[in-house]
Amino acid sequence: MKKNVKINPHLIIWIIIGIVLIVSIVKIIIWNIGTKSDYDPNNITDDYNTEALDVTYKINTSKIEGFVDDGITTVLMVGNNPISDCTNEKGIPALVADSTKAEVYSAGFADTCLAAANSDYSADFALDAFSLSYLTKAMCTGDYSLQDNALNAGAVNQDYAASLDVLKNMDYSKVDVLVFMYDANDYLQKRNLYDENNAYNTGTYTGALRASATQIAEAYPHIRIIFMTPSFASVVNEDGSYASGDTTNLGCGTMPNYLLFSIDVANECMFTVVDNYYGTIFEDIAADYLTDNVHLNDLGRQAMAARLAEAIGVPEE
């Protein structure tokens, strides 16, 4: 004779609640324990992830009436210390020549700025004659009297004469690539970024860059311009400590402001920008590539040369 077994529904409910409670407690315990991480707090890595803000424009010389390509890539570099500080086989021009197999000429004027100190030239500040817009004007017109007068008066570094001779003797019809390469001296010397009333004010960073690119494009439309932006630099405080150029505004903006404004000019005037600030020597690695707060060491020159060679074009082996 079978007995009828009565199931207590309340008991079943309490069993289910108990199971759910036990599972929840176990999951909470596991969550608190966590899982093993691969992160090692003692590990120091050189693998940083930054994104370069490069801008690339190339010139279709086939559309330039009367232009004949001589089959030789000729590069002219104009700027300040990244070019002038080292002129031997470890210098940027020599390294670029080796990588690209191009004929590379350089005219570096140490401690100058891209922008002039004054909107109107004054012999009282003769160094302005060797800022970028005055150099490109001389390159386009063949009139180097401003620079010659400054040298003859002993008002500027006499080492400039050799670089000036390079510009005077250059056959610009043969130049394929013109490189503007300046460090952060404009930022450190508090050169104004722009003039809202005069876009071509050569006493401003963007005005000088715009005027220079426009002059070259009009006189030598076959020449491709590559602007090598400054790499990271710091400000030296009175106590000798460094302040980051990324966040320190000296009155005209931070270093990223100079970068972003130059990119705007590049897109307007259609020249190439190689972003060395984020793409080559940025803040996290700067100590390994600079001798001080701004000047390149051998590793820094190698890094900059590699980026420039890539922009110019490295022949396939």
Side-chain angles (χ1 to χ4, degrees):
M1 181 177 179
K2 294 182 179 179
K3 294 183 179 180
N4 293 327
V5 179
K6 293 183 178 180
I7 299 175
N8 188 335
H10 297 290
L11 179 61
I12 294 174
I13 292 172
W14 281 108
I15 291 173
I16 293 173
I17 292 173
I19 293 172
V20 171
L21 184 61
I22 291 171
V23 170
S24 298
I25 292 172
V26 170
K27 286 188 174 182
I28 290 173
I29 293 172
I30 294 173
W31 181 81
N32 282 330
I33 294 174
T35 58
K36 185 178 179 180
S37 172
D38 291 331
Y39 173 69
D40 180 1
N42 297 316
N43 179 53
I44 299 176
T45 179
D46 292 329
D47 186 17
Y48 298 98
N49 184 23
T50 60
E51 184 175 353
L53 304 178
D54 294 351
V55 174
T56 301
Y57 287 99
K58 294 185 178 180
I59 293 176
N60 186 352
T61 53
S62 65
K63 294 185 176 182
I64 300 174
E65 185 178 355
F67 177 77
V68 178
D69 190 345
D70 61 3
I72 300 172
T73 301
T74 301
V75 178
L76 172 61
M77 302 173 63
V78 178
N80 63 1
N81 297 68
I83 300 172
S84 64
D85 283 351
C86 184
T87 57
N88 59 27
E89 69 279 359
K90 293 184 178 181
I92 293 175
L95 294 171
V96 170
D98 184 60
S99 297
T100 62
K101 309 308 177 188
E103 290 189 0
V104 180
Y105 300 85
S106 64
F109 303 91
D111 304 324
T112 58
C113 289
L114 186 152
N118 303 300
S119 299
D120 297 314
Y121 181 76
S122 170
D124 293 335
F125 200 86
L127 198 63
D128 276 354
F130 294 87
S131 63
L132 183 60
S133 64
Y134 287 100
L135 289 174
T136 53
K137 183 177 180 180
M139 292 158 60
C140 294
T141 63
D143 181 4
Y144 293 88
S145 58
L146 206 63
Q147 292 76 22
D148 287 333
N149 291 339
L151 280 166
N152 293 335
V156 295
N157 187 335
Q158 294 301 297
D159 290 341
Y160 292 176
S163 290
L164 190 63
D165 283 342
V166 172
L167 300 183
K168 289 179 177 179
N169 296 319
M170 182 64 57
D171 182 354
Y172 291 95
S173 68
K174 304 295 185 183
V175 175
D176 299 291
V177 180
L178 174 59
V179 180
F180 300 150
M181 181 180 288
Y182 287 82
D183 61 18
N185 205 31
D186 284 81
Y187 161 73
L188 296 172
Q189 295 295 324
K190 305 177 186 179
R191 294 292 195 263
N192 287 323
L193 264 172
Y194 64 94
D195 179 352
E196 61 183 9
N197 297 313
N198 181 6
Y200 290 87
N201 183 343
T202 57
T204 68
Y205 195 70
T206 54
L209 187 57
R210 182 180 288 107
S212 300
T214 300
Q215 289 175 145
I216 294 298
E218 290 177 350
Y220 309 114
H222 65 282
I223 293 180
R224 180 189 179 203
I225 295 173
I226 298 179
F227 176 53
M228 294 286 286
T229 77
S231 62
F232 176 80
S234 301
V235 178
V236 181
N237 296 317
E238 291 183 359
D239 61 1
S241 63
Y242 285 178
S244 171
D246 199 61
T247 55
T248 305
N249 187 337
L250 296 176
C252 300
T254 62
M255 284 202 66
N257 294 138
Y258 284 79
L259 168 65
L260 295 175
F261 274 75
S262 66
I263 290 174
D264 288 342
V265 177
N267 283 318
E268 174 190 333
C269 298
M270 301 180 68
F271 59 81
T272 293
V273 172
V274 176
D275 169 20
N276 294 297
Y277 189 79
Y278 292 119
T280 310
I281 303 172
F282 44 93
E283 185 169 9
D284 291 329
I285 64 172
D288 294 329
Y289 293 86
L290 303 177
T291 61
D292 52 17
N293 64 309
V294 63
H295 296 100
L296 302 171
N297 61 18
D298 284 344
L299 284 177
R301 283 185 280 273
Q302 290 170 18
M304 296 277 274
R307 291 273 283 143
L308 177 54
E310 182 182 9
I312 294 171
V314 178
E316 295 182 2
E317 296 183 356

